[in-house]
């Protein structure tokens, strides 16, 4: 699979279906917090480029999670999973984030979007350099027309970039991709699942102590303006 990852277009990535054993995926789905949970930050106070996106912001709010689910998230920071990612991607000496800054879990409610963007890649708190994004989708019964596909773009929209790969967020689908200031991605296509069904994912980020040569690093998420929720005047 390492060769598949390296040849991924428009940037190194891989998609693996049925990634976890079914019992493990079901465990995570059953323990996943609902949209009413106190773990989530208020998405209405977030930038409108990510309208409808629920996230905890980091592990400081994980006390609101089911204790077994919280322990399961920590398993993705263990040595076995790191060794797997290193072999898959060819990136040595990966470092997990015990604070789950910006990640851990995400949930998109009705109408939610995530504008095309590149991620912050200098982790100032730990002075680390972001190298990988890992997503495990836990969306139940995704169907065409629900929207929310992860889009991988070949370049910035301002440079006539376009999405060259669309990845539906189907249940137990694993996606890993290298991340830097040229890996444009998002889901500008709004989530249109039926009432009560949210787009759910585990989101994990991995770092190295040294920067990759020739790569620009900063602490900004660079939204591109492809999608933005407009607030209607009263």
């Amino acid at each position: 699979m390492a060769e598949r990852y390296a040849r991924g277009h428009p940037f190194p990535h891989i998609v693996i279906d049925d990634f976890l054993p079914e019992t493990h995926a079901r465990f995570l789905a059953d323990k996943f917090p609902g949209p009413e949970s106190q773990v989530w930050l208020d998405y209405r106070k977030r930038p409108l480029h990510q309208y409808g996106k629920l996230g905890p912001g980091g592990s400081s709010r994980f006390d609101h999670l089911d204790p077994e689910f919280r322990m399961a998230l920590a398993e993705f920071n263990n040595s076995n999973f790191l060794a797997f990612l290193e072999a898959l991607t060819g990136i040595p000496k990966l470092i997990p984030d015990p604070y789950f800054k910006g990640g851990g879990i995400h949930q998109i409610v009705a109408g939610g979007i995530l504008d095309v963007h590149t991620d912050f890649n200098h982790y100032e708190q730990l002075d680390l350099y972001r190298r990988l994004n890992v997503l495990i989708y836990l969306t139940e019964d995704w169907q065409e027309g629900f929207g929310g596909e992860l889009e991988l773009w070949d370049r910035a929209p301002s440079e006539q970039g376009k999405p060259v790969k669309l990845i539906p967020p189907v249940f137990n689908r694993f996606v890993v991709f290298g991340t830097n200031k040229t890996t444009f991605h998002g889901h500008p296509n709004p989530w249109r699942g039926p009432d009560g069904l949210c787009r759910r994912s585990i989101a994990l980020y991995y770092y190295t102590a040294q920067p990759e040569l020739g790569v620009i690093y900063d602490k900004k998420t660079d939204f591109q303006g492809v999608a933005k929720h407009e607030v209607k005047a009263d």
Side-chain angles (χ1 to χ4, degrees), residues 41-54 112-115 221-223 227-231:
L41 299 172
D42 186 347
Y43 73 82
R44 292 165 296 187
K45 297 179 181 179
R46 297 165 70 92
L48 297 181
H49 297 284
Q50 48 185 336
Y51 174 83
K53 176 186 174 185
L54 300 177
I113 56 173
L114 181 59
D115 188 18
T221 300
D222 301 310
F223 292 113
K228 181 179 180 181
H229 183 83
E230 299 293 341
V231 177

Side-chain angles (χ1 to χ4, degrees), residues 9-61:
H9 180 71
F11 41 81
H13 75 276
I14 196 169
V15 179
I16 303 173
D17 285 337
D18 301 317
F19 178 66
L20 296 172
E22 177 65 22
T23 53
H24 294 196
R26 281 259 50 99
F27 169 89
L28 292 171
D30 291 344
K31 299 284 188 179
F32 200 93
E36 72 290 341
S37 171
Q38 295 182 53
V39 73
W40 309 112
L41 299 172
D42 186 347
Y43 73 82
R44 292 165 296 187
K45 297 179 181 179
R46 297 165 70 92
L48 297 181
H49 297 284
Q50 48 185 336
Y51 174 83
K53 176 186 174 185
L54 300 177
S59 61
S60 64
R61 302 178 67 86

